[in-house]
Amino acid sequence: MQGEIVSVTTSDYLRLHGLFCRSSHRLTVSPSKGSADAAVLVHGLGGNFYSSRLLLHFADTLLKLGVSVVLVNTRGHEMINTCSWSGRGQSVGAALEDVDHCRFDMHAWTDFLVERGFANVIFFGHSLGAIKSLYTTAKAPHDRVAAIVGLSPTRLSYHQLIDSPRGELFRETIGRCEEMISQGRGREPIQVQFPVSTWMTPQCYLDKYGPEEKFNWSHFIGEVSVPTLLVFGEKELAEDPAFTGVSDELANLKRGWNSLTIEIISAADHFYTSQFHAVDDAMVRWLTS
């Protein structure tokens, strides 16, 4: 995919990079989606704009619909990385980020597209990127965002995880994080095993998975005012602990909000292995209907 390496500076002075590609096709997106003419594509936990085969594929699909794209880094790209912050190098990344600050990143990338002449923007996110798209639009809406496509937003639910088959491990991890925070070690990365195996600071872990459930999208999706498509894989709903209870809630969510469309892709896992075409069909049908 050919494009232009670009950068933005967020309102809190963090510099981020991405790949911008302008579509050469005629726009075919439905007016009901605000005739969205550009999209911000957002990676998941520890991802980045250049290595996701999934995001690169769907960027190409959007370009063929006449929708220009920018594949972006958020401050949570990689597990730990160094970015320029207020002119100085500072460690950021998925192990360290405060997800609430994603709104600064999402607004900066939306403003970038507006400055390039686009009027209506789609947020297209995968996994944590889908949560960031929903969270920003619910809590700090940008007036140029016309629609959201969210692939597999994980359910960051303390209550579901603590009642899961690995709930004892989850309790132990929560306890360890609380103890380290009480010792003034809340910003010290540790290795955690559940619900994903990764590195994360105790403060970051409690923000994501603690009892406040700050980023449990099912709690705030009703605050999203733009048409939204959520896509899930059948296998992840059945097998992945990060999606425990989601199947039971989807019908209730749809009944409560007419602007929400839900698609479940048969036999698909969290990364839609060998099922990109099925997601293409669902997304194109929704965007052009």
Side-chain angles (χ1 to χ4, degrees):
M1 177 178 293
Q2 292 187 341
E4 175 189 358
I5 299 294
V6 294
S7 65
V8 296
T9 300
T10 66
S11 61
D12 62 338
Y13 307 109
L14 178 67
R15 192 170 185 227
L16 300 169
H17 294 84
L19 176 69
F20 172 68
C21 305
R22 188 179 292 273
S23 176
S24 60
H25 294 264
R26 182 172 176 270
L27 183 67
T28 59
V29 169
S30 166
S32 68
K33 312 303 184 299
S35 297
D37 49 8
V40 178
L41 280 76
V42 191
H43 59 80
L45 181 71
N48 53 57
F49 75 83
Y50 49 83
S51 66
S52 171
R53 191 169 66 91
L54 182 148
L55 289 183
L56 288 167
H57 172 88
F58 293 116
D60 188 59
T61 300
L62 289 165
L63 288 168
K64 290 174 181 175
L65 292 174
V67 179
S68 297
V69 300
V70 60
L71 296 102
V72 309
N73 277 349
T74 68
R75 66 192 64 205
H77 74 90
E78 327 299 338
M79 297 315 298
I80 297 178
N81 70 85
T82 301
C83 281
S84 174
W85 203 330
S86 297
R88 288 193 264 179
Q90 184 163 326
S91 294
V92 293
L96 309 172
E97 74 171 330
D98 180 343
V99 175
D100 175 65
H101 293 166
C102 70
R103 53 201 166 91
F104 302 134
D105 307 342
M106 302 294 285
H107 276 225
W109 286 114
T110 305
D111 289 341
F112 165 84
L113 290 172
V114 172
E115 289 165 5
R116 291 284 176 121
F118 299 100
N120 298 297
V121 175
I122 301 170
F123 281 166
F124 184 109
H126 174 242
S127 194
L128 184 58
I131 295 173
K132 290 177 177 179
S133 300
L134 294 168
Y135 183 82
T136 298
T137 308
K139 302 300 183 181
H142 194 294
D143 61 5
R144 294 301 182 91
V145 174
I148 298 172
V149 177
L151 302 188
S152 300
T154 47
R155 191 176 188 211
L156 306 185
S157 171
Y158 172 88
H159 296 94
Q160 291 289 342
L161 292 172
I162 210 161
D163 290 333
S164 70
R166 301 188 72 189
E168 187 57 36
L169 175 60
F170 182 62
R171 287 187 188 90
E172 291 174 2
T173 308
I174 290 287
R176 180 185 178 193
C177 290
E178 290 174 337
E179 182 180 4
M180 290 184 67
I181 290 172
S182 71
Q183 297 169 349
R185 300 167 59 199
R187 301 295 294 171
E188 180 181 311
I190 59 172
Q191 191 164 23
V192 298
Q193 300 298 328
F194 184 77
V196 293
S197 178
T198 187
W199 287 87
M200 200 172 291
T201 67
Q203 188 60 60
C204 182
Y205 191 87
L206 284 183
D207 281 345
K208 280 192 174 83
Y209 304 114
E212 293 183 10
E213 299 199 5
K214 289 163 54 176
F215 305 111
N216 181 348
W217 56 266
S218 67
H219 291 175
F220 53 75
I221 191 170
E223 300 173 46
V224 175
S225 60
V226 300
T228 298
L229 171 66
L230 295 186
V231 181
F232 299 92
E234 183 181 46
K235 289 174 66 175
E236 70 179 351
L237 290 177
E239 301 170 4
D240 192 326
F243 292 89
T244 300
V246 170
S247 294
D248 298 333
E249 286 199 15
L250 292 180
N252 290 333
L253 288 171
K254 180 65 182 87
R255 279 196 294 269
W257 184 31
N258 292 330
S259 294
L260 176 64
T261 301
I262 296 166
E263 294 278 354
I264 298 175
I265 306 301
S266 178
D269 59 19
H270 188 59
F271 295 97
Y272 299 90
T273 307
S274 302
Q275 297 292 337
F276 285 3
H277 65 285
V279 182
D280 274 339
D281 290 345
M283 180 175 70
V284 173
R285 182 169 60 247
W286 183 75
L287 285 172
T288 60
S289 63

